[in-house]
Amino acid sequence: MTTMTVRPETRAANGSPDKLRTAIGSAVGTTIENYDFLAYGTAAALYFNEVFFHSEDPVVGLLLGFGTFGIGFAMRPLGGVIGGYLGDKIGRKPVLVGALLLMGISTVLIGVLPTYAQVGILAPILLTLIRIIQGIAFGAEWGGAILMTFEHAPWKQRGRYTAIPQAGVPLGLLLANLVFLWSTNLDSELAWRLPFLLSSVLIIAGLIIRAKVSESPEFVDTKTAGLVVKNPLKEVFKNDWRNILRVIALRLAESGGFYVIVTYMLSYLTSGDEPITDRATALTGLIVAAALGLFTTILFGTLTDRIGRKPVYFFGTILLIAFAFPMFLLVNTGIPYVIVFVYVVAMAIIHDSLAGTQGAWFSELFNTNTRSSGASVGYQFSAAISGFIPLIATAVAVPLGWGGVAIVYMACGVLGLIGTVLTRETWGKRQRDEVDAIIARS
């Protein structure tokens, strides 16, 4: 049965025959992408200030490490523009495969880079160039993975299905930090090189799975009907710029808060003359929260199918704002299980309630023929800002201490809350009733 012979009622009720394979294939890819990208964040917090940046002041070295971390994010809008445009013009699938290949190659290259001690200033220059390539690849990745899953899924389960690739974020984080937790026992350069080199195994598996995924049925319908627009970027900026701004605000709460917890907090807990805790405890907190995130992300996505996208996001942003100061007061106790608890609340509940909602909500804000461009541009422009959050947090902490970082975290939540209030509900009772009526005709 071809895509064009499937009745709308049937697709609404059942999705495409490839819906589960597509969701899993997208999740494998986003897992690999996030493993690659987050491995850099962990290495920047733990190793790169010494390995690539020659500075007697550890704070300066840390700022430089987080600076290159942010450069990767600065390039993500370019990746989003390229990937979004190509996704709307030639299809979602080619973007998926190309982004994954580019990301994997650049990550493996980090694992073989010479250090500052070996080649001097050339080392951070090469690291920065590779980081730029990583950013472009990661920027192109998200839109293709989410939209492929969204457009294959049954209409009443799009929240749950799009949360599956979103669960690639905690899974990638889990794998990256498991490797780093293990590699901390190594006394050689392999402690930071091995996590990047292991990406070569993941990339091969990901390419094999993604190659077997079929193209989005909605894109095929759009192309067959002659509705592919000449310039989707121009079209979406002209007619949907407000939704792009809303996506940026919504996304800042999730991604900005995420990188305070995942990157800055790791450094905060383990750095200084008298660290609050050791690396193993901090990484354990991340690992426990990430493991729970495999389930909580999908649970929150499923919840949006039942009550709507907006209430779940509202809950997440309010909790993010409320938790800003308590989380630092709790980790400052230095008690290991309290630190783990903070990671679980910040990641498995606050972050995952937002991430689990985004896939469906952002996709539903745009028309099919400009959906890849609109969702990708908004998502990645926000990432360009949030990628510098660890750098901003580190700089703010110098004069203001942890309280300044808590304010930065809270500000991300406030922006997300404003975005939630200003963004329309796309899966309220009216929309659910309309889809029920369509399915009833099948």
Side-chain angles (χ1 to χ4, degrees), residues 4 85 116 120 152 154 165 186 219 232 252 257 266 271 281 301 303 307 326 366 393 411 427 430 433:
M4 293 304 295
Y85 179 87
Y116 189 96
H152 275 277
L186 302 175
F219 174 78
L252 274 172
L266 184 62
S271 299
T281 299
L303 182 61
I307 67 173
F366 300 95
W427 191 243
R430 178 178 62 83
D433 289 344

Side-chain angles (χ1 to χ4, degrees), residues 4 14 31 35 106 125 152 155 193 207 218 225 279 289 314 346:
M4 293 304 295
N14 304 317
T31 297
Y35 171 90
S106 60
I125 292 174
H152 275 277
W155 293 3
R193 290 189 186 275
L207 286 172
E218 291 193 16
R279 291 177 178 178
F314 185 81

Side-chain angles (χ1 to χ4, degrees), residues 259-280:
Y259 286 107
V260 168
I261 298 299
V262 170
T263 304
Y264 175 80
M265 184 66 79
L266 184 62
S267 174
Y268 173 75
L269 291 172
T270 61
S271 299
D273 295 332
E274 297 182 5
I276 295 173
T277 190
D278 54 38
R279 291 177 178 178

Side-chain angles (χ1 to χ4, degrees), residues 169-198:
V169 177
L171 182 54
L173 176 65
L174 174 64
L175 293 175
N177 283 287
L178 278 174
V179 172
F180 270 103
L181 182 62
W182 168 72
S183 69
T184 53
N185 297 317
L186 302 175
D187 293 327
S188 66
E189 288 186 350
L190 286 176
W192 66 266
R193 290 189 186 275
L194 198 58
F196 295 102
L197 296 175
L198 286 176

Side-chain angles (χ1 to χ4, degrees), residues 153-172:
W155 293 3
K156 293 185 68 176
Q157 299 178 51
R158 280 174 161 171
R160 182 177 72 174
Y161 272 84
T162 54
I164 294 174
Q166 288 290 75
V169 177
L171 182 54

Side-chain angles (χ1 to χ4, degrees), residues 376-394:
S376 295
V377 168
Y379 194 91
Q380 302 305 345
F381 266 87
S382 172
I385 301 171
S386 60
F388 286 94
I389 290 294
L391 179 64
I392 294 170
T394 303

